[in-house]
Amino acid sequence: MRTDALIERRPFVKVCGLHSTGDVELAASLDVDAVGLVRHAPSPRHLSDAALSELGRAANRAGVPAVLVTVDPTRDDVERLIREAGLAAVQLCGAEDPAAWRGLPVPILRRVGVSADGFDEGRRGGGRAAPKVRDPPQRESGGGGKRG
């Protein structure tokens, strides 16, 4: 899959919070558009760098793009993980300055909250924004998923 396809298809289905190669293989068999690998220590979905790299490589073998889901990372860490894990995109979920991320070698997705009445937090900013991943606005950074 071309990485620009990450932002072309509608609707786009990304399954986040995976913790095993079996999870990645199952998601790929269900023909999801991408898998999300969370790197945010407070989240119950957090992966160590080693686990994230392992799952990114598993996603590549399974033919499904892997997206790094992260909150306020350093650019150096993100670029290293892109290389080590073969990531196809990055989803920024914190207060990152968009200017600091220009020229990243993969597409950037941006998490924005959408309330039940349809208010999109992304409307607050001006100009062209990265493709948006819409979540409830009160959602915990890095996801509030529970491990099973």
Side-chain angles (χ1 to χ4, degrees), residues 96-111:
E96 298 89 352
D97 176 6
W101 295 91
R102 286 191 184 109
L104 200 67
V106 298
I108 297 172
L109 308 174
R110 181 78 196 151
R111 182 226 169 259

Side-chain angles (χ1 to χ4, degrees), residues 61-136:
R61 286 191 302 273
V64 62
V67 177
L68 172 64
V69 179
T70 188
V71 179
D72 298 321
T74 67
R75 184 170 176 132
D76 287 343
D77 278 347
V78 168
E79 288 179 343
R80 177 180 53 78
L81 288 168
I82 289 168
R83 287 188 308 273
E84 291 176 2
L87 301 171
V90 175
Q91 178 180 323
L92 300 175
C93 300
E96 298 89 352
D97 176 6
W101 295 91
R102 286 191 184 109
L104 200 67
V106 298
I108 297 172
L109 308 174
R110 181 78 196 151
R111 182 226 169 259
V112 295
V114 178
S115 64
D117 65 4
F119 177 75
D120 181 335
E121 290 174 350
R123 290 187 215 159
R124 291 183 186 148
R128 187 169 184 271
K132 298 173 187 168
V133 176
R134 290 171 171 84
D135 279 328

Side-chain angles (χ1 to χ4, degrees), residues 8-96:
E8 292 175 355
R9 291 185 60 184
R10 300 286 185 249
F12 180 82
V13 177
K14 176 174 59 68
V15 177
C16 283
L18 306 181
H19 276 88
S20 72
T21 56
D23 292 344
V24 169
E25 291 163 357
L26 176 59
S29 76
L30 297 173
D31 202 27
V32 300
D33 295 301
V35 294
L37 306 177
V38 176
R39 184 176 185 258
H40 181 58
S43 171
R45 299 173 175 189
H46 174 72
L47 295 168
S48 68
D49 288 358
L52 195 144
S53 291
E54 177 186 346
L55 295 185
R57 290 188 301 268
N60 285 322
R61 286 191 302 273
V64 62
V67 177
L68 172 64
V69 179
T70 188
V71 179
D72 298 321
T74 67
R75 184 170 176 132
D76 287 343
D77 278 347
V78 168
E79 288 179 343
R80 177 180 53 78
L81 288 168
I82 289 168
R83 287 188 308 273
E84 291 176 2
L87 301 171
V90 175
Q91 178 180 323
L92 300 175
C93 300
E96 298 89 352

